[in-house]
Amino acid sequence: MTAVEETIAEGVIDAHHHVWDLSVRDQGWITGPELAPLRRDFLLADLEPEARAAGVTATVLVQTIDVPEETPEFLALAKNSDLVAGVVGWTDLTSPDVARALVALREGSGGEHLVGIRHQVQGESDPRWLLRPDVLRGLAAVAEAGLVYDLVVRPHQLAAALDAARLLPGLTFVLDHAGKPPITSGELRPWADPVRLLASLPNTVCKLSGLVTEADPDRWSVQDLRPYADTILDAFGPRRLMFGSDWPVCRLAATYAEVIAAAKELTASLAPSERHEVFTGTALRTYGLTVTGPPATQEAPCA
């Protein structure tokens, strides 16, 4: 057994995945032929066999759309799941009642599983959206609640993310999908420089996630991903980098097994203790997770 396989045998935390049921709520972002494979239900019962087979013992369920109803549903799902250890939900950061909304989520069913908040900043037309006074006030409330903030931004929005992280040193910012680097073009700039600047701040963390769908979905290779993975490994270090599958979005380019195999290969040069951080330790610390799930051989409950 290799050192990477020993790390996997200890149990992996998948720090980023989604679920949705189209009979409950439409996912309006799933449009066009390229995303057509995602226009179906993806439930926890679909994920669990794939995750368990890959050695995953706990996950973080992340919001998909900016509506208030989704987060309580995710928290209730986590409460009844042996797999989901944390939920990154959504609330309206621009609302003057954001602090009260966070308290309500915490006090609701499964509220102990709320670990963070995210907004689809990548869809905002204003590249400086994160720096609006009402948004900064909302982010301060997230920090006050003891939660982290997941950043889903595109490269042109990284400058605002950097300024927000500087203005709010008491809030941990988690950069999802490495800031969506331009892998298909093979370019590192203008993505790499602001990512390194963001990483220079101690209140920032990054996810090794979402890279396969930023590459050519039909012909990507680990070597295509390596310059970008190496950049975030060098910038953030293993103790501020965590693995995430981005399931089921990853299925546009790779299976769950292929995503985790790529992550293992991209981190193969790290020491065993460093790989443990990427696949387990960073997620545990950043999100304050309590992992008490069953062994992989236990029958998975239905979602």
Side-chain angles (χ1 to χ4, degrees), residues 103-138:
V103 169
L105 287 171
R106 276 279 180 76
E107 292 180 347
S109 178
E112 67 275 13
H113 294 284
L114 185 67
V115 297
I117 295 296
R118 187 176 87 150
H119 176 80
Q120 295 286 345
V121 178
Q122 64 180 351
E124 294 290 345
S125 58
D126 180 3
R128 307 283 287 175
W129 184 88
L130 284 163
L131 297 175
R132 285 173 37 171
D134 53 353
V135 174
L136 288 172
R137 184 174 59 248

Side-chain angles (χ1 to χ4, degrees), residues 3 26 31 39 42 59 63 96 122 139 142 157 166 169 175 177 192 195 198 205 208 215 238 268 277:
D26 188 32
T31 59
R39 182 151 284 284
F42 287 96
T59 70
Q63 65 90 223
Q122 64 180 351
L139 290 172
V142 173
Q157 297 166 320
R166 283 173 171 159
L175 182 62
H177 314 325
V195 163
L198 188 68
V205 179
L208 179 60
E277 296 297 334

